[in-house]
Structures are given as C-alpha cells and as structure tokens.
Amino acid sequence: MIRFAAVSALALLTLAACDRGEKPAETVSSGAANPPAAAPAVETVLTADGLGVVRIGMTAAEVATAWGANAAVSDPMSCQVYHPDKAPEGVDVMLQDGHLTRITLGKGSSVKTDRGFGVGDSGIAIKQTYGGAVFAQPAKYDPAPAEDLFAWAKGRSTAYVVDPAARGIRYEVGRDGVVSRVHAGDPSIQLVENCG
C-alpha cells in the first residue's frame, strides 16, 4: 500500500510538472541507463578522399551544394582556389576543369587528418607516426628543416605522381619544423603554387 502511494504521488507530481510546461524530474530505474544522444557529425577529419560529405572528384556544382559557392569563382572550367561560403574555417578547395582536386587546411583551421595532424603540428611527429609510409621532399622555397611530407593512400609509384586516381595528403612543414598547411586530394597536392 505504501509503495502504491509513493508511485501515485510521483505520477501526480510528473503530471503537474507537465501541465506547467516543465520537464519532469529524472527517475532512477533499475535497468541500464539510456546512452547519451550521439552528437551531430562535424566535418573535422580530413582524409585523402575528402572532408565530410565533400569528396575529391566532385563537380563544382556538388561542392557548391555541400559548402556553398563563392563570389570569386567565375569560370568553372579553369583552375580555381577559394574558400566556399559554408566550408569550415581555414579550409580552401581547388577546382580544376570543373572538379574538386584538392582540399587545403590553412591558418585558422582546426580540422585534423585521419592520423590526427593539422596546422601547427610537428613535422617530426608526423614522420614518427607514418614511419616509412611518408615521403619527405625538400621545400621548394624555404631552407631545411622546411619540407613537404607526402603520405599517399593509393597510387604512388614514382617520386612525382601523375595517376589521376592517386589520393594522398601533403603536409607543408615550415622552417620552424611546424605544419603550415595540409593538402589532401589527387596529384594536385604536389603543386607548390596553387594552380601552377
């Protein structure tokens, strides 16, 4: 009888709270706790194939649908490097002949690669993590320890990759030994001067 009265009182309090628009108090159950709701997916992991829903090889229209356009884009058949309106901060894209070929992380980006590296990380740590899977090349304009570190996910067979199906990540390491930019995509990640 006492148990019934306690349950009835709890039910009345819950109904009263709901009538006032309040959230009812949590009750302790003897069963397993409900798992917390999953957080919405955030575009924070860059792979050789893309970032979130944006994938290497997409058309300019598909990139615009996912991340918005940019007023600076004029001729979709030329080479363009720009920041889409809805892309994460510090993320630029390269479109060549109307298709996405490269995604670049730059200043202000908090995005990390699938190995956990991004702008501001140590080049030495990248080499240690990738081991023999990373190819180091001297930087074109800066003296050592500045260098470019390439990690090809597929398609690397020579020092300079030309296979359009190849995918990789390039870490630009500055003379301070720290990553200044990260590029992911097809062989266009090897281009030092954006489109040239």
Side-chain angles (χ1 to χ4, degrees), residues 45-77:
V45 179
L46 179 68
T47 70
D49 292 309
L51 176 59
V53 298
V54 176
R55 313 309 288 166
I56 301 302
M58 288 176 107
T59 65
E62 291 169 327
V63 173
T65 297
W67 278 351
N70 183 296
V73 177
S74 54
D75 179 7
M77 298 312 287

Side-chain angles (χ1 to χ4, degrees), residues 47-49 150-154 166-170 183-187 189:
T47 70
D49 292 309
F150 292 91
W152 291 99
K154 58 184 172 184
R167 297 290 181 269
I169 294 178
R170 171 179 157 217
H183 309 281
D186 71 12
I189 67 171

Side-chain angles (χ1 to χ4, degrees), residues 88-110:
E89 183 179 350
V91 174
D92 291 335
V93 297
M94 176 185 279
L95 294 174
Q96 293 176 306
D97 297 323
H99 289 85
L100 177 65
T101 60
R102 184 169 94 179
I103 297 172
T104 298
L105 310 180
K107 186 176 181 180
S109 175
S110 61

Side-chain angles (χ1 to χ4, degrees), residues 4-158:
F4 177 74
V7 170
S8 295
L10 181 59
L12 289 174
L13 288 173
T14 301
L15 287 173
C18 289
D19 286 341
R20 292 190 304 267
E22 299 173 3
K23 184 178 176 183
E26 298 284 328
T27 59
V28 178
S29 71
S30 60
N34 291 332
V42 180
E43 296 173 330
T44 59
V45 179
L46 179 68
T47 70
D49 292 309
L51 176 59
V53 298
V54 176
R55 313 309 288 166
I56 301 302
M58 288 176 107
T59 65
E62 291 169 327
V63 173
T65 297
W67 278 351
N70 183 296
V73 177
S74 54
D75 179 7
M77 298 312 287
S78 68
C79 180
Q80 306 259 336
V81 177
Y82 66 96
H83 175 77
D85 297 331
K86 298 176 189 171
E89 183 179 350
V91 174
D92 291 335
V93 297
M94 176 185 279
L95 294 174
Q96 293 176 306
D97 297 323
H99 289 85
L100 177 65
T101 60
R102 184 169 94 179
I103 297 172
T104 298
L105 310 180
K107 186 176 181 180
S109 175
S110 61
V111 175
K112 301 286 187 181
T113 65
D114 52 355
R115 293 288 188 104
F117 295 109
V119 174
D121 287 321
S122 160
I124 291 172
I126 292 168
K127 288 180 182 179
Q128 290 171 341
T129 299
Y130 279 93
V134 70
F135 171 73
Q137 174 179 315
K140 185 170 184 177
Y141 296 114
D142 291 325
E147 62 186 340
D148 292 322
L149 303 176
F150 292 91
W152 291 99
K154 58 184 172 184
R156 180 178 181 259
S157 59
T158 61

